[in-house]
C-alpha cells in the first residue's frame, strides 16, 4: 500500500486500534493507515490458555455497540464461518479467548488499511505534519492514534532475575516449559495468576513439587459482575466520571478495582473444585500453598533457586524457596519509545500521567491541525473502563466523530443509574 500522506496514522493494531480502523471503514475519503509491528494479528499469544474465557460480553465487539450493521461484527464472523446456530446451542457462559482472537484476526485480515511487520521507530513533528520513521521508509500524517497497549509489569527488584526461571505470566506460552519436580511460585492474585495457577495444578507443564500462589489482595477476590457494577462500563458513567476532580477519580479507580481486575467467578470455582478433587478425592496431599494477604518484597538467587521474602500484611515476614517464579503482577502503561522526540512537547500531569482531554486527545504543544489520540492510555482520566474491551467501540466512535468534526456515530445510550447530580426540576420536593 502506498502511504504518501495520511490524514490519520494509527500506531499499533491491537483490539483497540482495530476498532478505530473498523469504524473508519464508513469514511472512505479519509486517507488513513494503521501500522503494526507484528507480522500478523495475534492477541496476547503468550496467555492464550486452554479454557480461558472473555470477561466481557461478545456483543461488545469491535463495532456492534455503535454500528450493529457493520460487516465487522462478531455476529457476521459467526455467520460467515457457518457457526451461528452451533454457537447459540453451545450455551457458553462466555466466548472463549481463542474464538474472540479468531474473530479479531478475521477482522484484521479484511481491513485494507492495516500494515503488518511495520514497527514505528520514531515519530517527529515538522512543518505541520507528523513524520513516522520505519526501518525502510518514512510516512507523514496530520493526526496520530496511539494504540501501543501496555507492558508486562514486574517489581524493580525482580527485573535483574528475568530469564528462563523467572518470567512474567504474559510470556508463559512463548516457550516450551517443563516444571516437573520444581517448586513454583505464582505472584499476583488477578485473572492471569488464577489462570496460570489452574494450569499448574492441572500439571500442564509437568507435576510440580510444590506450587505457592501469593496475592497482595486479602483473598482471591472475584470480579464483580453484578448489574449495577456493569453500569460502570457504560457511556453514561464515563460522562459522569469525566466531570470529577483528579482526586475523586483517583479514589474511584482504586475503589473500583474488582469491577475490572478481579478473578472471574467461574475460574475461582474451577480452582476450588480442582483442589478438592486432587487433595480430598484423590488424596494426593499435594504441596499447594494458597497465600493471600501477602506481598513479595524481595528475592535473591541462591545457587540454582531463589529465596523469596514475603511480607504478610498483618503478621511476620515469611521466606519461601522456589525454582521457578512466575510474575502475574499486572501490566503498566508506558510511553512508546517511538514517541521520544515528542515527549518534551507533550503535556504531563504532576503525577507523571499523560494530560488527556475528554475526546481522547493528548494535550500537547502542537496545533488543532495535528492531533494525537490515544487509546488504553487514560485510566486516570476516563476511569477503569479504559484498559477494558467493554467500551472500545464507543471510544473508537468518539475518536472517529472527533476526527470528522461531525457525529457519524451515535454515542448516547441510556444507563439505569443517575450518577451525577439531578437537575433541580427533576428533584421532588417533600413539603
Ligand atoms: C490475557 C489477557 C486477556 C484479556 N482479556 C480481556 C477481557 O476478556 N475483557 C476485557 O475487557 N479486557 C481484557 N484484557 C485487557 C485488554 O482488553 C487487552 O489487554 C487488550 O489487548 C488491549 O488492547 P490494546 O489494543 O490497547 O493493546 P494490545 O493488545 O497490547 O495491542 C497493542 C499493539 O501495538 C503494537 N505496537 C506496539 N508498539 C508498536 C510500534 N512502535 N509500532 C507498531 N506497532 C506497535 C503491539 O505489537 C500490539 O500488537 C485482557 C488482557 C490480557 C493480558
Ligand atoms: N481470560 C481473561 O479474560 C483474562 C486473562 C488475563 C487477564 N485479563 C485481564 O487483564 C487485566 C490484567 O490482569 P492481570 O491478572 O494480569 O493483572 P492485575 O489484575 O493487575 O493483577 C495483578 C496482581 O498482582 C498483585 N501484585 C502486584 N505486585 C505484587 C507483589 N509484589 N506481591 C504480591 N502481589 C503483587 C496485584 O495486587 P494489588 O491488587 O494489591 O495491586 C494484583 O493482585 C485485568 O483486567 C484482567 O481482568 C483477562
Amino acid at each position: 500500500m502506498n502511504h504518501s500522506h495520511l490524514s490519520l496514522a494509527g500506531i499499533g493494531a491491537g483490539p483497540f486500534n482495530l476498532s478505530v480502523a473498523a469504524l473508519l471503514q464508513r469514511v472512505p475519503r479519509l486517507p488513513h493507515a494503521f501500522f503494526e509491528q507484528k507480522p500478523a494479528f495475534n492477541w496476547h499469544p503468550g496467555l492464550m490458555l486452554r479454557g480461558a474465557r472473555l470477561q466481557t460480553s461478545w456483543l461488545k465487539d469491535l463495532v456492534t455497540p455503535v454500528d450493529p450493521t457493520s460487516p465487522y461484527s462478531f455476529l457476521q464472523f459467526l455467520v460467515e464461518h457457518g457457526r451461528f446456530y452451533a454457537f447459540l446451542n453451545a450455551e457458553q457462559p462466555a466466548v472463549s479467548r481463542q474464538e474472540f482472537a479468531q474473530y479479531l484476526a478475521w477482522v484484521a485480515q479484511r481491513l485494507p488499511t492495516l500494515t503488518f511487520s511495520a514497527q514505528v521507530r520514531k515519530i517527529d513533528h515538522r512543518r505541520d505534519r507528523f513524520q513516522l520513521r520505519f526501518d525502510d521508509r518514512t510516512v507523514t500524517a496530520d493526526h496520530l492514534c496511539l494504540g501501543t497497549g501496555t507492558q508486562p509489569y514486574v517489581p524493580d527488584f525482580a527485573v535483574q532475575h528475568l530469564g528462563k526461571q523467572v518470567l512474567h505470566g504474559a510470556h508463559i506460552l512463548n516457550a516450551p516449559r517443563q516444571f516437573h519436580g520444581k517448586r513454583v511460585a505464582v505472584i499476583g492474585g488477578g485473572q492471569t495468576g488464577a489462570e496460570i495457577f489452574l494450569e499448574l495444578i492441572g500439571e500442564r507443564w509437568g507435576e510440580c513439587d510444590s506450587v505457592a500462589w501469593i496475592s497482595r489482595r486479602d483473598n482471591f477476590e472475584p470480579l464483580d459482575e453484578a448489574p449495577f457494577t456493569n453500569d460502570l462500563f457504560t457511556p453514561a458513567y464515563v460522562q459522569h466520571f469525566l466531570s470529577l476532580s483528579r482526586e475523586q477519580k483517583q479514589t474511584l479507580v482504586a475503589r473500583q478495582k474488582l469491577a475490572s481486575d478481579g478473578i472471574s467467578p467461574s475460574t475461582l470455582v474451577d480452582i476450588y473444585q480442582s483442589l478438592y478433587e486432587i487433595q480430598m478425592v484423590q488424596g494426593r496431599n499435594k504441596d499447594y500453598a494458597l497465600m493471600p494477604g501477602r506481598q513479595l518484597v524481595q528475592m535473591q538467587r541462591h545457587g540454582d533457586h531463589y529465596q523469596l521474602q514475603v511480607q504478610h500484611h498483618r503478621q511476620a515476614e515469611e521466606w519461601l524457596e522456589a525454582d521457578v517464579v512466575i510474575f502475574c503482577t499486572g501490566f503498566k502503561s508506558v510511553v512508546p519509545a517511538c514517541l521520544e522526540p515528542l515527549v518534551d512537547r507533550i503535556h504531563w500531569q504532576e503525577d507523571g500521567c499523560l494530560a488527556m482531554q475528554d475526546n481522547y486527545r493528548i494535550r500537547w504543544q502542537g496545533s488543532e491541525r495535528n492531533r494525537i489520540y490515544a487509546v488504553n492510555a487514560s485510566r486516570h482520566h476516563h476511569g477503569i473502563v479504559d484498559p477494558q474491551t467493554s467500551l472500545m467501540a464507543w471510544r473508537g466512535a468518539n475518536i472517529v466523530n472527533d476526527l470528522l468534526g461531525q457525529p457519524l456515530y451515535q454515542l448516547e445510550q441510556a444507563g439505569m443509574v443517575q450518577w451525577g447530580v439531578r437537575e433541580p426540576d427533576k428533584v421532588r420536593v417533600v413539603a
Side-chain angles (χ1 to χ4, degrees):
M1 183 184 236
N2 179 24
H3 306 111
S4 47
H5 177 72
L6 301 167
S7 179
L8 179 81
I11 296 102
F16 293 173
N17 255 356
L18 197 57
S19 173
V20 182
L23 294 169
L24 275 170
Q25 292 303 300
R26 293 260 193 241
V27 194
R29 278 185 296 281
L30 187 101
H32 66 275
F34 286 75
F35 301 99
E36 167 58 49
Q37 62 192 8
K38 292 179 192 160
F41 185 88
N42 210 349
W43 189 38
H44 295 312
L47 264 172
M48 196 51 76
L49 296 164
R50 286 179 302 215
R53 296 197 174 271
L54 216 61
Q55 293 184 305
T56 314
S57 163
W58 54 268
L59 275 170
K60 295 177 176 177
D61 62 17
L62 297 166
V63 290
T64 299
V66 293
D67 189 4
T69 60
S70 164
Y72 304 107
S73 68
F74 186 76
L75 269 179
Q76 180 69 27
F77 163 81
L78 290 179
V79 172
E80 256 188 60
H81 287 77
R83 291 186 199 171
F84 178 79
Y85 295 105
F87 178 81
L88 285 183
N89 293 345
E91 292 188 16
Q92 303 174 89
V95 63
S96 72
R97 284 199 58 239
Q98 200 179 354
E99 186 168 30
F100 203 70
Q102 287 172 0
Y103 154 68
L104 296 171
W106 168 81
V107 174
Q109 253 179 6
R110 288 163 45 117
L111 291 179
T113 48
L114 306 188
T115 302
F116 289 93
S117 300
Q119 182 177 19
V120 181
R121 295 279 184 193
K122 208 168 160 188
I123 305 175
D124 228 326
H125 182 259
R126 291 211 186 105
R127 289 190 288 276
D128 284 346
R129 50 181 57 185
F130 293 107
Q131 283 192 343
L132 286 77
R133 299 266 170 79
F134 299 83
D135 285 337
D136 53 355
R137 74 205 121 134
T138 299
V139 168
T140 58
D142 293 331
H143 311 294
L144 302 176
C145 189
L146 293 176
T148 48
T150 50
Q151 292 297 321
Y153 162 78
V154 297
D156 288 346
F157 60 78
V159 174
Q160 60 176 309
H161 301 295
L162 287 174
K164 224 171 153 191
Q165 284 172 263
V166 178
L167 58 138
H168 192 281
H171 306 301
I172 191 89
L173 297 182
N174 288 344
R177 312 275 172 203
Q178 182 47 262
F179 300 149
H180 184 81
K182 304 281 185 209
R183 295 163 295 178
V184 181
V186 177
I187 317 298
Q191 183 66 20
T192 302
E195 288 182 6
I196 288 180
F197 180 76
L198 187 60
E199 293 281 9
L200 287 167
I201 63 173
E203 301 179 357
R204 174 176 187 151
W205 299 289
E207 185 181 351
C208 302
D209 181 56
S210 65
V211 184
W213 184 17
I214 293 164
S215 174
R216 190 157 64 188
R217 298 176 189 167
D218 282 333
N219 197 345
F220 298 104
E221 313 260 10
L223 183 73
D224 183 352
E225 299 178 299
F228 289 104
T229 307
N230 283 340
D231 244 48
L232 300 178
F233 299 88
T234 58
Y237 183 74
V238 176
Q239 294 305 347
H240 164 65
F241 190 85
L242 288 172
S243 70
L244 304 177
S245 69
R246 197 179 295 172
E247 292 69 30
Q248 289 169 325
K249 286 180 176 181
Q250 259 175 8
T251 308
L252 278 177
V253 164
R255 207 184 284 162
Q256 294 168 350
K257 180 178 269 192
L258 293 178
S260 64
D261 295 340
I263 302 171
S264 294
S266 59
T267 311
L268 289 173
V269 170
D270 288 346
I271 291 174
Y272 207 99
Q273 290 179 350
S274 298
L275 288 171
Y276 183 83
E277 177 68 24
I278 296 164
Q279 306 288 52
M280 310 281 171
V281 181
Q282 297 172 3
R284 290 174 68 194
N285 201 21
K286 292 290 301 174
D287 186 357
Y288 295 149
L290 288 112
M291 304 169 69
R294 294 152 164 98
Q295 178 171 356
L296 179 67
V297 291
Q298 193 48 271
M299 64 188 286
Q300 266 121 33
R301 192 172 171 100
H302 283 267
D304 58 359
H305 70 275
Y306 293 87
Q307 237 180 9
L308 310 184
Q309 186 182 348
V310 177
Q311 183 63 53
H312 191 292
H313 288 344
R314 288 169 197 92
Q315 290 159 10
E317 213 168 63
E318 295 165 309
W319 292 88
L320 211 73
E321 291 196 343
D323 305 303
V324 175
V325 186
I326 307 173
F327 281 92
C328 302
T329 36
F331 293 79
K332 61 176 179 191
S333 288
V334 288
V335 180
C338 58
L339 213 59
E340 201 51 47
L342 294 180
V343 159
D344 291 342
R345 302 182 63 190
I346 286 175
H347 296 302
W348 303 87
Q349 296 182 173
E350 295 108 56
D351 57 7
C353 291
L354 277 172
M356 293 292 295
Q357 292 180 249
D358 295 354
N359 49 16
Y360 296 95
R361 295 187 204 172
I362 295 176
R363 291 183 195 280
W364 83 296
Q365 285 169 9
S367 80
E368 268 281 297
R369 287 166 54 195
N370 301 124
R371 302 174 205 155
I372 310 175
Y373 297 96
V375 295
N376 200 357
S378 58
R379 181 139 117 160
H380 58 288
H381 190 84
H382 289 94
I384 54 162
V385 70
D386 200 61
Q388 304 292 328
T389 55
S390 287
L391 285 186
M392 65 180 165
W394 179 79
R395 173 179 49 205
N398 267 280
I399 291 173
V400 172
N401 285 0
D402 192 73
L403 198 59
L404 298 178
Q406 51 175 297
L408 176 67
Y409 291 108
Q410 182 196 318
L411 299 174
E412 284 73 34
Q413 294 284 329
M416 206 53 79
V417 180
Q418 178 77 52
W419 294 109
V421 178
R422 280 181 76 174
E423 289 162 33
D425 62 319
K426 292 194 181 147
V427 180
R428 194 153 46 100
V429 179
V430 181

